[in-house]
Amino acid sequence: LVLLSLAQKLWHDPQPVFRACMAVALVFGALDGLTATGFSALSGLLGFLPLAEQQMGWALPVAVVLLGMTVRERWQHRLHGN
């Protein structure tokens, strides 16, 4: 969230980028938290993610969504000229 806030000038409309990244961080962070509390059924689901052992399994999905939303936002701005 801090990095997104510092980089908000990179986007013409940062709100959709923030929303998508925060939603993904929430979902993966919650799953990561449940795994840390001992729900073994979820450990296999998140175990393939880099940094999952350090309870940072949310980082790669958020980075992918951030990249995708940045490309989408730039594409829309280019098409609509807003």
Coordinates of all heavy atoms in Angstrom, one line a residue:
L1 N 0.8 -1.2 0.0 CA 0.0 0.0 0.0 C 0.9 1.3 0.0 O 0.6 2.2 -0.7 CB -0.9 0.0 1.2 CG -1.9 1.2 1.3 CD1 -2.8 1.3 0.1 CD2 -2.7 1.0 2.6
V2 N 1.9 1.2 0.8 CA 2.8 2.4 0.8 C 3.5 2.6 -0.6 O 3.5 3.7 -1.0 CB 3.9 2.2 1.9 CG1 4.9 3.3 1.9 CG2 3.2 2.2 3.3
L3 N 4.0 1.5 -1.2 CA 4.6 1.6 -2.5 C 3.6 2.1 -3.5 O 3.9 2.9 -4.4 CB 5.2 0.3 -2.9 CG 6.4 -0.1 -2.1 CD1 6.9 -1.5 -2.6 CD2 7.5 0.9 -2.2
L4 N 2.4 1.6 -3.5 CA 1.3 2.1 -4.4 C 1.1 3.6 -4.2 O 0.9 4.3 -5.2 CB 0.0 1.3 -4.2 CG 0.0 -0.1 -4.7 CD1 -1.3 -0.8 -4.3 CD2 0.2 -0.1 -6.2
S5 N 1.0 4.0 -3.0 CA 0.8 5.4 -2.7 C 1.9 6.3 -3.2 O 1.6 7.4 -3.7 CB 0.6 5.6 -1.2 OG -0.6 5.0 -0.7
L6 N 3.1 5.8 -3.0 CA 4.2 6.6 -3.5 C 4.3 6.7 -5.0 O 4.9 7.6 -5.6 CB 5.5 6.1 -2.9 CG 5.7 6.2 -1.4 CD1 7.0 5.5 -1.0 CD2 5.8 7.7 -1.0
A7 N 3.8 5.7 -5.7 CA 3.9 5.6 -7.1 C 2.6 6.0 -7.8 O 2.5 5.8 -9.0 CB 4.2 4.1 -7.5
Q8 N 1.7 6.6 -7.1 CA 0.4 6.9 -7.7 C 0.4 7.9 -8.9 O -0.4 7.9 -9.7 CB -0.6 7.4 -6.7 CG -0.4 8.8 -6.1 CD -1.4 9.1 -5.1 OE1 -2.5 8.5 -5.0 NE2 -1.1 10.2 -4.4
K9 N 1.5 8.6 -9.0 CA 1.7 9.5 -10.1 C 2.0 8.8 -11.4 O 1.9 9.4 -12.5 CB 2.8 10.6 -9.8 CG 2.5 11.4 -8.6 CD 2.0 12.7 -8.9 CE 1.9 13.5 -7.6 NZ 0.7 14.2 -7.4
L10 N 2.2 7.5 -11.4 CA 2.5 6.7 -12.6 C 1.3 6.4 -13.4 O 1.4 6.1 -14.6 CB 3.2 5.4 -12.2 CG 4.6 5.5 -11.6 CD1 5.1 4.1 -11.2 CD2 5.6 6.2 -12.5
W11 N 0.1 6.6 -12.8 CA -1.1 6.2 -13.5 C -2.0 7.5 -13.6 O -2.0 8.3 -12.8 CB -1.9 5.2 -12.7 CG -1.1 4.0 -12.4 CD1 -0.7 3.0 -13.3 CD2 -0.4 3.6 -11.2 NE1 0.1 2.0 -12.8 CE2 0.2 2.4 -11.4 CE3 -0.4 4.1 -9.9 CZ2 1.0 1.7 -10.5 CZ3 0.3 3.5 -8.9 CH2 1.0 2.3 -9.2
H12 N -2.7 7.5 -14.7 CA -3.7 8.6 -14.9 C -4.9 8.5 -14.0 O -5.4 9.5 -13.5 CB -4.1 8.6 -16.4 CG -3.0 8.8 -17.3 ND1 -2.3 10.0 -17.5 CD2 -2.3 7.9 -18.1 CE1 -1.4 9.9 -18.4 NE2 -1.3 8.6 -18.8
D13 N -5.3 7.2 -13.8 CA -6.4 7.0 -12.8 C -5.9 5.8 -11.9 O -6.1 4.7 -12.3 CB -7.7 6.6 -13.6 CG -8.8 6.4 -12.7 OD1 -8.8 6.8 -11.5 OD2 -9.9 5.8 -13.2
P14 N -5.3 6.1 -10.8 CA -4.8 5.1 -9.9 C -5.8 4.2 -9.2 O -5.5 3.2 -8.7 CB -3.9 5.8 -9.0 CG -4.4 7.2 -8.9 CD -5.0 7.4 -10.3
Q15 N -7.1 4.7 -9.1 CA -8.1 4.0 -8.3 C -8.3 2.5 -8.7 O -8.3 1.7 -7.8 CB -9.4 4.8 -8.3 CG -10.4 4.2 -7.3 CD -11.6 5.1 -7.2 OE1 -11.9 5.8 -8.1 NE2 -12.3 5.0 -6.1
P16 N -8.5 2.2 -10.0 CA -8.7 0.8 -10.3 C -7.4 -0.1 -10.0 O -7.5 -1.2 -9.7 CB -9.0 0.8 -11.8 CG -9.4 2.2 -12.1 CD -8.7 3.1 -11.1
V17 N -6.3 0.5 -10.2 CA -5.0 -0.2 -9.9 C -4.9 -0.5 -8.5 O -4.6 -1.6 -8.1 CB -3.8 0.7 -10.4 CG1 -2.5 -0.1 -10.1 CG2 -3.9 1.0 -11.9
F18 N -5.2 0.5 -7.6 CA -5.2 0.3 -6.2 C -6.2 -0.8 -5.8 O -5.9 -1.7 -5.0 CB -5.5 1.6 -5.4 CG -4.4 2.5 -5.3 CD1 -3.5 2.8 -6.3 CD2 -4.2 3.1 -4.0 CE1 -2.4 3.7 -6.1 CE2 -3.1 4.0 -3.9 CZ -2.2 4.3 -4.9
R19 N -7.4 -0.7 -6.3 CA -8.5 -1.6 -5.9 C -8.1 -3.1 -6.2 O -8.2 -4.0 -5.4 CB -9.8 -1.3 -6.6 CG -10.4 -0.1 -6.0 CD -11.8 0.2 -6.6 NE -12.4 1.3 -6.0 CZ -13.5 1.9 -6.5 NH1 -14.1 1.4 -7.5 NH2 -14.0 2.9 -5.8
A20 N -7.6 -3.3 -7.5 CA -7.2 -4.6 -7.9 C -6.1 -5.2 -7.0 O -6.1 -6.3 -6.6 CB -6.8 -4.6 -9.4
C21 N -5.1 -4.4 -6.8 CA -3.9 -4.8 -6.0 C -4.3 -5.1 -4.6 O -3.9 -6.1 -4.0 CB -2.8 -3.8 -6.1 SG -2.0 -3.7 -7.7
M22 N -5.1 -4.3 -4.0 CA -5.5 -4.5 -2.6 C -6.4 -5.7 -2.5 O -6.3 -6.4 -1.5 CB -6.2 -3.2 -2.1 CG -5.3 -2.0 -2.0 SD -3.8 -2.3 -1.0 CE -4.5 -2.6 0.6
A23 N -7.3 -6.0 -3.5 CA -8.1 -7.1 -3.4 C -7.3 -8.4 -3.5 O -7.5 -9.4 -2.7 CB -9.1 -7.1 -4.6
V24 N -6.3 -8.4 -4.4 CA -5.5 -9.6 -4.5 C -4.6 -9.8 -3.2 O -4.5 -10.9 -2.7 CB -4.6 -9.5 -5.8 CG1 -3.5 -10.6 -5.8 CG2 -5.4 -9.6 -7.0
A25 N -4.1 -8.7 -2.7 CA -3.3 -8.8 -1.5 C -4.2 -9.3 -0.3 O -3.8 -10.1 0.5 CB -2.8 -7.4 -1.1
L26 N -5.5 -8.9 -0.3 CA -6.4 -9.3 0.8 C -6.6 -10.8 0.7 O -6.5 -11.5 1.7 CB -7.7 -8.6 0.7 CG -8.8 -9.0 1.7 CD1 -8.4 -8.7 3.1 CD2 -10.1 -8.4 1.3
V27 N -6.9 -11.3 -0.5 CA -7.2 -12.7 -0.7 C -6.0 -13.6 -0.4 O -6.1 -14.5 0.4 CB -7.7 -13.0 -2.1 CG1 -7.8 -14.5 -2.4 CG2 -9.1 -12.3 -2.3
F28 N -4.9 -13.2 -1.0 CA -3.7 -14.1 -0.8 C -3.1 -13.9 0.7 O -2.6 -14.8 1.2 CB -2.6 -13.8 -1.8 CG -2.9 -14.5 -3.1 CD1 -3.6 -13.9 -4.1 CD2 -2.3 -15.7 -3.3 CE1 -3.9 -14.6 -5.3 CE2 -2.5 -16.4 -4.5 CZ -3.3 -15.9 -5.4
G29 N -3.3 -12.7 1.2 CA -2.8 -12.5 2.6 C -3.7 -13.3 3.6 O -3.2 -13.8 4.5
A30 N -5.0 -13.3 3.3 CA -5.9 -14.1 4.2 C -5.6 -15.6 4.1 O -5.5 -16.3 5.1 CB -7.3 -13.8 3.8
L31 N -5.4 -16.1 2.9 CA -5.0 -17.5 2.7 C -3.7 -17.8 3.3 O -3.5 -18.8 4.0 CB -5.0 -17.8 1.2 CG -6.3 -17.9 0.5 CD1 -6.1 -18.1 -1.0 CD2 -7.2 -18.9 1.0
D32 N -2.7 -16.9 3.2 CA -1.4 -17.0 3.8 C -1.5 -17.0 5.3 O -0.9 -17.8 6.0 CB -0.5 -15.9 3.3 CG 1.0 -16.3 3.4 OD1 1.3 -17.5 3.4 OD2 1.8 -15.4 3.3
G33 N -2.4 -16.2 5.9 CA -2.6 -16.1 7.3 C -3.2 -17.4 7.8 O -2.9 -17.9 8.9
L34 N -4.2 -18.0 7.1 CA -4.8 -19.2 7.5 C -3.8 -20.4 7.4 O -3.8 -21.2 8.3 CB -6.0 -19.5 6.6 CG -7.3 -18.7 6.8 CD1 -8.3 -19.0 5.7 CD2 -7.8 -18.9 8.2
T35 N -3.0 -20.3 6.4 CA -1.9 -21.4 6.4 C -1.0 -21.3 7.6 O -0.6 -22.3 8.1 CB -1.1 -21.2 5.0 OG1 -2.0 -21.3 3.9 CG2 0.0 -22.3 4.9
A36 N -0.6 -20.1 7.9 CA 0.3 -19.8 9.1 C -0.4 -20.3 10.4 O 0.4 -20.7 11.3 CB 0.6 -18.4 9.2
T37 N -1.7 -20.3 10.5 CA -2.3 -20.8 11.7 C -2.5 -22.3 11.8 O -2.9 -22.8 12.8 CB -3.7 -20.1 11.9 OG1 -4.6 -20.5 10.8 CG2 -3.6 -18.6 12.0
G38 N -2.2 -23.0 10.7 CA -2.2 -24.4 10.8 C -3.2 -25.1 9.9 O -3.3 -26.3 10.0
F39 N -3.9 -24.4 9.0 CA -4.8 -25.1 8.1 C -3.9 -25.8 7.0 O -3.5 -25.1 6.1 CB -5.8 -24.1 7.5 CG -6.9 -23.7 8.4 CD1 -6.9 -22.4 9.0 CD2 -7.9 -24.5 8.6 CE1 -7.9 -22.1 9.8 CE2 -9.0 -24.2 9.4 CZ -9.0 -22.9 10.0
S40 N -3.7 -27.0 7.2 CA -2.8 -27.7 6.3 C -3.4 -27.9 4.9 O -2.6 -28.1 3.9 CB -2.4 -29.1 6.9 OG -3.6 -29.9 7.0
A41 N -4.7 -27.8 4.7 CA -5.3 -28.0 3.4 C -4.9 -26.9 2.5 O -4.8 -27.0 1.3 CB -6.8 -28.0 3.5
L42 N -4.6 -25.7 3.0 CA -4.2 -24.5 2.2 C -2.7 -24.5 1.9 O -2.3 -23.8 1.0 CB -4.7 -23.2 2.9 CG -6.2 -23.1 3.0 CD1 -6.4 -21.8 3.8 CD2 -6.8 -23.0 1.7
S43 N -1.9 -25.2 2.7 CA -0.5 -25.1 2.5 C 0.0 -25.6 1.2 O 0.9 -25.0 0.5 CB 0.3 -25.8 3.6 OG 0.0 -27.2 3.6
G44 N -0.7 -26.6 0.6 CA -0.4 -27.1 -0.7 C -0.8 -26.1 -1.8 O -0.2 -26.0 -2.8
L45 N -1.8 -25.4 -1.5 CA -2.4 -24.4 -2.5 C -1.4 -23.3 -2.7 O -1.2 -22.8 -3.8 CB -3.7 -23.9 -2.0 CG -4.4 -22.9 -2.9 CD1 -4.8 -23.5 -4.2 CD2 -5.7 -22.4 -2.2
L46 N -0.8 -22.8 -1.6 CA 0.1 -21.6 -1.6 C 1.5 -22.0 -1.6 O 2.4 -21.1 -1.8 CB -0.2 -20.7 -0.5 CG -1.6 -20.1 -0.5 CD1 -1.8 -19.3 0.8 CD2 -1.8 -19.2 -1.7
G47 N 1.9 -23.2 -1.4 CA 3.2 -23.7 -1.2 C 4.1 -23.5 -2.5 O 5.3 -23.3 -2.4
F48 N 3.5 -23.4 -3.6 CA 4.3 -23.2 -4.9 C 4.7 -21.8 -5.1 O 5.5 -21.5 -5.9 CB 3.4 -23.7 -6.1 CG 2.3 -22.8 -6.4 CD1 2.4 -21.8 -7.3 CD2 1.1 -23.0 -5.8 CE1 1.3 -21.0 -7.7 CE2 0.0 -22.2 -6.1 CZ 0.1 -21.2 -7.0
L49 N 4.1 -20.9 -4.4 CA 4.5 -19.4 -4.6 C 5.8 -19.1 -4.0 O 6.1 -19.6 -2.9 CB 3.4 -18.5 -3.9 CG 2.0 -18.6 -4.6 CD1 1.0 -17.8 -3.7 CD2 2.1 -18.0 -5.9
P50 N 6.6 -18.3 -4.7 CA 7.8 -17.8 -4.1 C 7.6 -17.0 -2.8 O 6.6 -16.3 -2.7 CB 8.5 -16.9 -5.1 CG 7.7 -17.2 -6.4 CD 6.4 -17.8 -6.0
L51 N 8.4 -17.1 -1.8 CA 8.3 -16.4 -0.5 C 7.2 -16.9 0.3 O 6.9 -16.3 1.4 CB 8.2 -14.9 -0.7 CG 9.4 -14.3 -1.5 CD1 9.0 -12.8 -1.7 CD2 10.6 -14.4 -0.7
A52 N 6.5 -18.0 0.0 CA 5.4 -18.5 0.8 C 5.9 -19.0 2.2 O 5.1 -18.8 3.1 CB 4.7 -19.7 0.1
E53 N 7.1 -19.5 2.2 CA 7.6 -20.0 3.5 C 7.9 -18.8 4.5 O 7.9 -19.0 5.7 CB 8.9 -20.8 3.3 CG 8.7 -22.1 2.6 CD 10.0 -22.8 2.4 OE1 11.0 -22.4 2.9 OE2 9.9 -23.9 1.7
Q54 N 8.0 -17.6 3.9 CA 8.2 -16.4 4.8 C 6.9 -15.6 5.0 O 7.0 -14.5 5.3 CB 9.3 -15.5 4.1 CG 10.7 -16.0 4.1 CD 10.9 -17.0 3.0 OE1 10.2 -17.1 2.0 NE2 12.0 -17.8 3.1
Q55 N 5.8 -16.2 4.7 CA 4.5 -15.6 4.8 C 4.4 -14.4 3.9 O 3.7 -13.4 4.2 CB 4.1 -15.3 6.2 CG 3.6 -16.4 7.0 CD 4.6 -17.4 7.4 OE1 5.8 -17.1 7.7 NE2 4.3 -18.7 7.3
M56 N 5.0 -14.4 2.7 CA 5.0 -13.4 1.8 C 4.5 -13.9 0.4 O 4.8 -13.4 -0.6 CB 6.4 -12.8 1.6 CG 7.0 -12.1 2.8 SD 6.4 -10.4 2.9 CE 7.1 -9.7 1.5
G57 N 3.6 -14.9 0.5 CA 3.1 -15.5 -0.7 C 2.2 -14.6 -1.6 O 2.0 -14.9 -2.7
W58 N 1.8 -13.5 -1.0 CA 0.9 -12.6 -1.7 C 1.7 -11.7 -2.6 O 1.2 -11.0 -3.5 CB 0.2 -11.7 -0.6 CG 1.1 -11.0 0.3 CD1 1.5 -11.5 1.5 CD2 1.8 -9.8 0.1 NE1 2.4 -10.7 2.1 CE2 2.6 -9.6 1.3 CE3 1.9 -8.9 -0.9 CZ2 3.4 -8.5 1.4 CZ3 2.7 -7.7 -0.7 CH2 3.4 -7.6 0.4
A59 N 3.0 -11.6 -2.4 CA 3.9 -10.6 -3.2 C 3.9 -10.8 -4.7 O 3.7 -9.9 -5.4 CB 5.3 -10.6 -2.6
L60 N 4.1 -12.1 -5.1 CA 4.1 -12.3 -6.6 C 2.7 -12.1 -7.2 O 2.6 -11.4 -8.3 CB 4.6 -13.7 -6.9 CG 4.7 -14.1 -8.4 CD1 5.7 -13.2 -9.1 CD2 5.1 -15.5 -8.5
P61 N 1.6 -12.6 -6.7 CA 0.3 -12.3 -7.3 C 0.0 -10.8 -7.3 O -0.5 -10.3 -8.3 CB -0.7 -13.0 -6.4 CG 0.1 -14.1 -5.7 CD 1.5 -13.6 -5.6
V62 N 0.4 -10.1 -6.3 CA 0.2 -8.6 -6.3 C 1.0 -8.0 -7.4 O 0.6 -7.1 -8.1 CB 0.4 -8.0 -4.9 CG1 0.5 -6.5 -5.0 CG2 -0.6 -8.4 -4.0
A63 N 2.3 -8.4 -7.5 CA 3.1 -7.8 -8.6 C 2.6 -8.1 -10.0 O 2.6 -7.2 -10.8 CB 4.5 -8.4 -8.4
V64 N 2.1 -9.3 -10.2 CA 1.5 -9.7 -11.5 C 0.3 -8.8 -11.8 O 0.1 -8.3 -12.9 CB 1.2 -11.2 -11.6 CG1 0.3 -11.5 -12.8 CG2 2.4 -12.0 -11.5
V65 N -0.6 -8.6 -10.8 CA -1.8 -7.8 -11.0 C -1.4 -6.3 -11.2 O -2.0 -5.7 -12.0 CB -2.8 -8.0 -9.8 CG1 -3.9 -6.9 -9.8 CG2 -3.4 -9.4 -9.8
L66 N -0.4 -5.9 -10.5 CA 0.1 -4.5 -10.6 C 0.6 -4.3 -12.0 O 0.2 -3.3 -12.7 CB 1.2 -4.2 -9.6 CG 1.8 -2.8 -9.7 CD1 0.8 -1.7 -9.5 CD2 2.9 -2.7 -8.7
L67 N 1.3 -5.2 -12.5 CA 1.8 -5.1 -13.9 C 0.7 -5.1 -14.9 O 0.6 -4.3 -15.8 CB 2.8 -6.2 -14.2 CG 3.4 -6.2 -15.6 CD1 4.2 -5.0 -15.9 CD2 4.2 -7.5 -15.8
G68 N -0.2 -6.1 -14.7 CA -1.4 -6.2 -15.6 C -2.3 -5.0 -15.6 O -2.7 -4.5 -16.7
M69 N -2.5 -4.4 -14.4 CA -3.4 -3.3 -14.3 C -2.7 -2.0 -14.9 O -3.3 -1.1 -15.5 CB -3.8 -3.0 -12.9 CG -4.8 -4.0 -12.4 SD -6.4 -4.0 -13.3 CE -7.0 -2.4 -12.8
T70 N -1.4 -1.9 -14.7 CA -0.6 -0.8 -15.3 C -0.7 -0.8 -16.8 O -1.0 0.2 -17.5 CB 0.8 -0.8 -14.9 OG1 0.9 -0.7 -13.4 CG2 1.6 0.3 -15.5
V71 N -0.5 -2.0 -17.4 CA -0.6 -2.2 -18.9 C -2.0 -1.8 -19.3 O -2.2 -1.1 -20.3 CB -0.2 -3.6 -19.3 CG1 -0.6 -3.8 -20.8 CG2 1.2 -3.8 -19.1
R72 N -3.1 -2.3 -18.6 CA -4.5 -2.0 -19.0 C -4.8 -0.5 -18.9 O -5.4 0.0 -19.8 CB -5.4 -2.8 -18.0 CG -6.8 -2.5 -18.2 CD -7.7 -3.3 -17.1 NE -9.1 -3.0 -17.2 CZ -9.7 -2.0 -16.6 NH1 -9.0 -1.2 -15.9 NH2 -11.0 -1.8 -16.8
E73 N -4.3 0.1 -17.8 CA -4.5 1.5 -17.6 C -3.9 2.3 -18.7 O -4.5 3.3 -19.3 CB -4.0 1.9 -16.2 CG -4.6 3.2 -15.7 CD -3.7 4.4 -16.1 OE1 -2.5 4.2 -16.4 OE2 -4.2 5.5 -16.0
R74 N -2.7 2.0 -19.1 CA -2.0 2.7 -20.1 C -2.7 2.5 -21.5 O -2.8 3.4 -22.3 CB -0.5 2.3 -20.2 CG 0.3 2.5 -19.0 CD 0.7 4.0 -18.9 NE 1.2 4.3 -17.6 CZ 2.5 4.7 -17.4 NH1 3.3 4.9 -18.4 NH2 2.9 4.9 -16.2
W75 N -3.1 1.3 -21.7 CA -3.8 1.0 -23.0 C -5.1 1.8 -23.0 O -5.4 2.3 -24.1 CB -4.1 -0.5 -23.0 CG -4.7 -1.0 -24.3 CD1 -6.1 -1.1 -24.5 CD2 -4.1 -1.3 -25.5 NE1 -6.3 -1.5 -25.8 CE2 -5.1 -1.7 -26.4 CE3 -2.7 -1.4 -25.9 CZ2 -4.7 -2.1 -27.7 CZ3 -2.4 -1.8 -27.1 CH2 -3.4 -2.2 -28.0
Q76 N -5.9 1.8 -22.0 CA -7.1 2.5 -22.0 C -6.9 4.0 -22.2 O -7.6 4.7 -22.9 CB -7.9 2.3 -20.7 CG -8.7 1.0 -20.6 CD -9.5 0.9 -19.4 OE1 -9.2 1.5 -18.4 NE2 -10.6 0.2 -19.5
H77 N -5.9 4.5 -21.5 CA -5.6 6.0 -21.7 C -5.2 6.3 -23.1 O -5.6 7.3 -23.6 CB -4.4 6.4 -20.7 CG -4.1 7.8 -20.8 ND1 -4.9 8.8 -20.4 CD2 -3.0 8.4 -21.4 CE1 -4.3 10.0 -20.6 NE2 -3.2 9.8 -21.2
R78 N -4.4 5.4 -23.7 CA -4.0 5.6 -25.1 C -5.2 5.5 -26.0 O -5.3 6.3 -27.0 CB -3.0 4.6 -25.5 CG -2.3 4.9 -26.8 CD -1.2 3.9 -27.1 NE -0.1 4.3 -26.2 CZ 1.0 3.6 -26.1 NH1 1.2 2.5 -26.9 NH2 1.9 3.9 -25.3
L79 N -6.1 4.6 -25.8 CA -7.3 4.5 -26.7 C -8.3 5.6 -26.5 O -8.8 6.1 -27.5 CB -8.0 3.2 -26.4 CG -7.4 1.9 -26.8 CD1 -8.2 0.7 -26.4 CD2 -7.2 1.9 -28.3
H80 N -8.5 6.0 -25.3 CA -9.5 7.1 -25.0 C -9.0 8.5 -24.9 O -9.7 9.4 -24.9 CB -10.3 6.7 -23.8 CG -11.0 5.4 -23.9 ND1 -12.1 5.2 -24.7 CD2 -10.8 4.2 -23.2 CE1 -12.5 4.0 -24.6 NE2 -11.8 3.4 -23.7
G81 N -7.7 8.5 -24.8 CA -7.0 9.9 -24.7 C -7.4 10.7 -23.5 O -7.3 11.9 -23.5
N82 N -7.8 10.1 -22.4 CA -8.2 10.8 -21.2 C -7.0 11.2 -20.4 O -6.1 10.6 -20.1 CB -9.1 10.0 -20.3 CG -10.4 9.7 -21.0 OD1 -10.8 10.5 -21.9 ND2 -11.1 8.7 -20.6

